[in-house]
Amino acid sequence: MGEDTTNEMSFLDHLEILRWHLVRAFASVFVFAILAFVFKGFVFDTVILGPSGKDFFTNRLLCDLASRLDMPLLCINQIPLSVQNINMSGQFTTHIWVSFVAGIVVAFPYIFWEFWRFVKPALYSKEVNHSRGAIFFASTLFTVGILFAYYVICPLSIHFLGTYQVSEEVENIVNLGSYISTITSIVLAGGIIFELPIFIYFLAKVGLVSSGFLRKYRKHSIVVALLLAAVITPPDVISQLLVCFPLVILYESGIVIARRIEAKREKEMAE
């Protein structure tokens, strides 16, 4: 362990400390969830349903770009999406679920900080110094991932899934629960995917992945990114690149991180 005091602590003592870290983390989620529940007008009308409207920032930007480039396929979400609720308690349960997800998203930096406070005493001072920026970078990447998913992937996915038809005789009337689960899944997935450099950092630190391993599967990662972009975007190159390019950048940054860790480890071994 990193400190002498932690060596003297029993397993139950560690569990007690962990319990209070978890209590504070859940309390922060609960507080932000209550705020989201109270301000449901902003959460639903502006945030949740926003990407489906023609006045949404991304939709307006793409339509303007479509007129300049004479590419009408880029102009998305101009027809209002019909969303309905078919369950008696559907809107209430959806309200609670969305508030909980919003609480997790907003409280994520604090949750990660509580996790760091629990792990920190087990680290040596040198390891603590190397990991001081972990909270900042993890929170920043998570936020960037959420914003990217919300402003880029969500509008493209809503347009593709909301207008896709197997037959002109079948009308798309989207269930509220389905719409909400799609938006929340995309947003949370975006935040987690953008944590890829952090995951690679820790995996490289313990020797589970290497820069050589990541380079070996570089082509596979590009193919996966292209397939993902092709599935959720309209059939045009610009939209696909908007989704694919950041994913490739994240993977390449992971290779750089792993290479730096290996170089540092080799230098320490040489010394």
Side-chain angles (χ1 to χ4, degrees):
M1 305 296 285
E3 298 179 2
D4 294 338
T5 55
T6 56
N7 286 327
E8 301 173 0
M9 295 175 61
S10 67
F11 177 72
L12 292 179
D13 291 331
H14 284 291
L15 285 182
E16 178 66 15
I17 293 175
L18 176 60
R19 183 173 74 91
W20 282 108
H21 284 295
L22 292 176
V23 166
R24 287 189 289 268
F26 279 115
S28 66
V29 173
F30 185 70
V31 169
F32 286 115
I34 291 177
L35 292 175
F37 189 87
V38 171
F39 296 99
K40 68 176 183 177
F42 172 78
V43 171
F44 282 89
D45 295 338
T46 303
V47 178
I48 300 295
L49 297 175
S52 65
K54 64 180 182 179
D55 293 329
F56 189 66
F57 172 77
T58 305
N59 299 332
R60 289 189 287 106
L61 182 65
L62 288 176
C63 283
D64 182 63
L65 187 62
S67 62
R68 293 175 183 273
L69 300 178
D70 192 23
M71 297 177 62
L73 287 175
L74 276 177
C75 192
I76 62 175
N77 293 321
Q78 296 304 293
I79 301 176
L81 185 67
S82 179
V83 180
Q84 67 173 2
N85 173 60
I86 58 176
N87 296 321
M88 179 67 73
S89 60
Q91 296 201 44
F92 179 69
T93 55
T94 299
H95 189 189
I96 294 176
W97 167 245
V98 169
S99 300
F100 177 71
V101 173
I104 294 176
V105 171
V106 177
F108 176 81
Y110 181 78
I111 295 173
F112 193 84
W113 183 66
E114 285 290 348
F115 172 75
W116 167 247
R117 289 180 62 197
F118 175 72
V119 174
K120 182 180 177 181
L123 302 177
Y124 294 101
S125 58
K126 186 177 181 180
E127 295 173 327
V128 172
N129 292 332
H130 289 325
S131 305
R132 286 190 183 278
I135 298 175
F136 172 77
F137 286 112
S139 301
T140 300
L141 287 172
F142 186 77
T143 302
V144 172
I146 284 178
L147 292 176
F148 174 77
Y150 179 72
Y151 281 101
V152 178
I153 299 181
C154 280
L156 296 173
S157 299
I158 290 171
H159 175 74
F160 174 76
L161 298 174
T163 59
Y164 186 85
Q165 290 180 292
V166 295
S167 171
E168 293 183 357
E169 301 298 323
V170 182
E171 182 181 2
N172 281 330
I173 301 177
V174 182
N175 181 30
L176 176 63
S178 175
Y179 177 87
I180 296 295
S181 64
T182 300
I183 296 298
T184 53
S185 298
I186 290 174
V187 170
L188 290 178
I192 294 173
I193 289 173
F194 269 64
E195 295 291 328
L196 181 62
I198 301 295
F199 294 145
I200 291 178
Y201 171 81
F202 285 108
L203 292 176
K205 286 286 287 185
V206 298
L208 292 179
V209 298
S210 64
S211 59
F213 175 85
L214 295 173
R215 285 195 299 268
K216 179 180 177 181
Y217 290 97
R218 174 186 280 139
K219 294 181 180 179
H220 299 76
S221 68
I222 295 175
V223 171
V224 171
L226 287 172
L227 289 176
L228 177 63
V231 168
I232 65 176
T233 61
D236 63 86
V237 177
I238 294 179
S239 298
Q240 293 175 4
L241 290 178
L242 284 174
V243 174
C244 181
F245 187 70
L247 300 180
V248 174
I249 293 298
L250 287 172
Y251 192 86
E252 292 297 325
S253 65
I255 295 177
V256 174
I257 291 172
R259 188 185 300 124
R260 292 185 61 181
I261 291 175
E262 291 166 359
K264 188 172 183 179
R265 185 182 297 126
E266 292 173 358
K267 181 180 178 181
E268 291 176 350
M269 291 178 64
E271 293 176 351

